Amino acid sequence: MLSRADNERLTRVGPGTPMGELMRRYWIPAAFSHQIAKPDSPPIRVRLLCENLVLFRDTQGRVGLIDERCPHRTASLFFGRNEECGLRCVYHGLKFDVEGNCVDVPCVPQVGEGAVGRIKTQLKTRAYPCIERGDVVWTYMGPPELKPEFPDLEWTQIPPAQRFATRHIQECNWLRGVEGGFDATHLTFLHFGDAEHSRRIVATMYEVIPTDFGFIVGTGRDLDNGTILWNANVLLMPFHKIISSVPHAAHVWAPIDDENTMLYSIDFEPDRPFTEEEPKRSKEWRGIHTENHAGTDHAIRNKANDYLIDRALQASGKSYTGMKGLGTQDCAIQESMGPIADRSSEHLLASDAAIVKIRRLLLQMLKDHAAGKKLPGLDPKSFRVRSTRYEAPKDVPFIETMKDRIRVATPEPAQ
């Protein structure tokens, strides 16, 4: 089990919390680029790491992410007018640029130019730098002097025709999603009927290897022929998983706050465009992606309607859960544990060995960050990795067989 104190350290992500400050050292996805597609298009609300923000694209096409509250009277800038290279508060007309500078104060014509300049300085609002990679807007919320380069994340460096991406709100803490993503044993049960045949063999070997990008989780299934079927799944700090699937896939568990997560799910083909048939399973919502209500980030199959569970299908033996799609099945079970799971009440089994090791590793990273030590994943080149699956002799340690299998040469960014 995990103590209540350690559970708090790992799950809380607001400003000033250990995990929140650690996550602010990395680039975080804020939205899809198409959500603010055109200059001067309507702004959108963004909530990240317990902070309420507003994202907009200005007249020149620059992207800004600023505090939702106008620093004058704290009115919401979501209702603002996006015009002439700034977001103008509709309450009193103050305008802010993408860097959070107050550039116009039309509500005080009675004061002199010098006083206006001082007011503008006082009203500078919180703003976070943004860049666009892989048709996603990313932001950095940490100390400006420590801002890293954007990592060589493979799925962000390929053309759109080689990628299928969705997102939805998962009603639980980010750590619950990550733990679910690296819990290999559940594939045999929760996803029975949807996962491929090899997953029906219950995993019995678990390795977690720290790396320069985060860690590798190795899960071994004994094939009873002298070999082990290994899945080597990578976690790229702090919340990226590259999935050893066909086609390749990825998850990003971006914390909205302590109790909600924006889960980005991506299928990608590194070397060529998808064929017409390849994304069919995903677009029918049978894979890792969830079907959302139109124009929203809310899944159609959700906690409020019991994920539209079909008990007849469950009883038929064709599906272990009676729920449609891997993504829905994962969310249903993870959300059922509550917004923040009480890990002090767990009774862990041998099959949870990887989960235990992941928690210990994350706690150590928090200690290292507090001590000012170097963090994994801040060198862009360290992200040039890919999860994989393979067979290897039973008597050869996992750490030896996986070394040359996960590193890849990342393609040049798409033009």
Side-chain angles (χ1 to χ4, degrees):
M1 69 176 68
L2 196 66
S3 72
R4 291 184 183 274
D6 282 343
N7 196 43
E8 288 286 296
R9 292 186 185 96
L10 291 178
T11 57
R12 302 294 178 179
V13 294
T17 63
M19 185 56 73
E21 293 304 300
L22 176 66
M23 287 193 171
R24 283 167 171 80
R25 295 290 308 279
Y26 299 87
W27 288 94
I28 304 171
F32 287 122
S33 294
H34 68 73
Q35 294 179 271
I36 50 166
K38 299 179 181 179
D40 292 334
S41 58
I44 65 171
R45 289 188 177 99
V46 170
R47 183 165 167 80
L48 282 175
L49 303 180
C50 301
E51 298 185 32
N52 292 324
L53 308 164
V54 174
L55 183 71
F56 68 103
R57 190 183 301 276
D58 76 4
T59 311
Q60 297 179 8
R62 299 174 300 180
V63 177
L65 183 65
I66 64 176
D67 194 330
E68 183 182 353
R69 300 168 300 175
C70 175
H72 171 219
R73 295 276 296 280
T74 70
S76 174
L77 289 171
F78 168 75
F79 301 110
R81 300 169 59 93
N82 189 4
E83 58 188 19
E84 298 174 342
C85 291
L87 195 59
R88 189 180 294 278
C89 181
V90 296
Y91 199 9
H92 297 96
L94 281 72
K95 188 164 78 169
F96 302 89
D97 66 13
V98 296
E99 296 177 343
N101 299 307
C102 181
V103 295
D104 192 19
V105 193
C107 59
V108 286
Q110 68 271 37
V111 305
E113 185 176 333
V116 168
R118 290 191 292 274
I119 291 172
K120 289 180 178 178
T121 299
Q122 293 168 358
L123 292 180
K124 181 178 174 66
T125 193
R126 185 172 30 140
Y128 295 119
C130 296
I131 58 175
E132 294 179 87
R133 297 290 187 274
D135 296 324
V136 172
V137 177
W138 303 78
T139 189
Y140 172 74
M141 301 172 68
E145 69 277 10
L146 298 177
K147 183 177 72 174
E149 295 179 55
F150 190 80
D152 293 347
L153 187 59
E154 186 173 28
W155 65 262
T156 69
Q157 298 186 318
I158 56 179
Q162 297 171 216
R163 179 176 60 237
F164 175 68
T166 64
R167 73 175 197 172
H168 82 280
I169 295 171
Q170 189 168 344
E171 297 180 61
C172 63
N173 181 264
W174 77 280
L175 184 60
R176 177 55 65 197
V178 169
E179 289 183 342
F182 287 92
D183 179 331
T185 306
H186 83 275
L187 296 172
T188 306
F189 303 96
L190 183 70
H191 297 321
F192 181 88
D194 295 287
E196 65 178 74
H197 186 78
S198 67
R199 298 302 196 269
R200 297 184 182 183
I201 302 172
V202 179
T204 56
M205 304 177 72
Y206 309 93
E207 299 285 349
V208 179
I209 311 295
T211 67
D212 59 346
F213 54 78
F215 54 78
I216 302 169
V217 177
T219 305
R221 291 175 167 83
D222 194 332
L223 299 181
D224 287 330
N225 61 1
T227 65
I228 299 296
L229 175 61
W230 284 107
N231 277 13
N233 286 296
V234 301
L235 182 132
L236 310 170
M237 281 295 291
F239 39 51
H240 302 265
K241 179 188 179 184
I242 310 300
I243 305 170
S244 58
S245 61
V246 179
H248 299 284
H251 280 318
V252 186
W253 291 276
I256 297 172
D257 51 37
D258 294 340
E259 298 186 352
N260 297 277
T261 302
M262 189 66 79
L263 173 56
Y264 290 78
S265 300
I266 306 96
D267 295 329
F268 66 99
E269 178 54 64
D271 304 315
R272 57 171 176 77
F274 281 127
T275 66
E276 185 175 343
E277 188 69 19
E278 283 174 324
K280 182 178 179 181
R281 179 169 181 260
S282 292
K283 293 181 179 181
E284 292 176 349
W285 318 115
R286 294 185 289 118
I288 63 173
H289 303 266
T290 59
E291 183 180 11
N292 292 351
H293 290 287
T296 78
D297 295 313
H298 297 280
I300 289 175
R301 298 167 183 83
N302 59 61
K303 183 167 60 175
N305 58 28
D306 293 323
Y307 310 92
L308 300 180
I309 186 171
D310 183 338
R311 293 295 188 179
L313 176 62
Q314 185 181 38
S316 74
K318 296 178 181 179
S319 167
Y320 210 75
T321 63
M323 301 175 196
K324 179 182 178 180
L326 305 180
T328 296
Q329 293 159 9
D330 284 332
C331 286
I333 293 305
Q334 292 164 19
E335 292 175 354
S336 76
M337 302 176 191
I340 299 180
D342 180 6
R343 293 173 175 82
S344 67
S345 66
E346 294 176 327
H347 296 275
L348 300 179
L349 304 174
S351 56
D352 300 306
I355 302 302
V356 173
K357 293 177 182 179
I358 289 170
R359 293 173 183 175
R360 290 174 179 168
L361 191 56
L362 290 173
L363 286 169
Q364 185 59 50
M365 288 181 184
L366 291 181
K367 293 178 182 178
D368 291 344
H369 183 230
K373 295 183 179 180
K374 183 179 179 180
L375 296 174
L378 295 181
D379 178 355
K381 296 182 179 61
S382 70
F383 271 39
R384 295 179 181 178
V385 293
R386 188 185 297 164
S387 294
T388 186
R389 62 181 73 169
Y390 60 92
E391 290 185 34
K394 190 173 183 177
D395 58 351
V396 181
F398 170 72
I399 194 170
E400 297 297 329
T401 63
M402 66 82 181
K403 280 183 177 179
D404 299 325
R405 299 176 187 269
I406 63 164
R407 301 287 178 178
V408 298
T410 301
E412 293 297 320
Q415 299 298 317

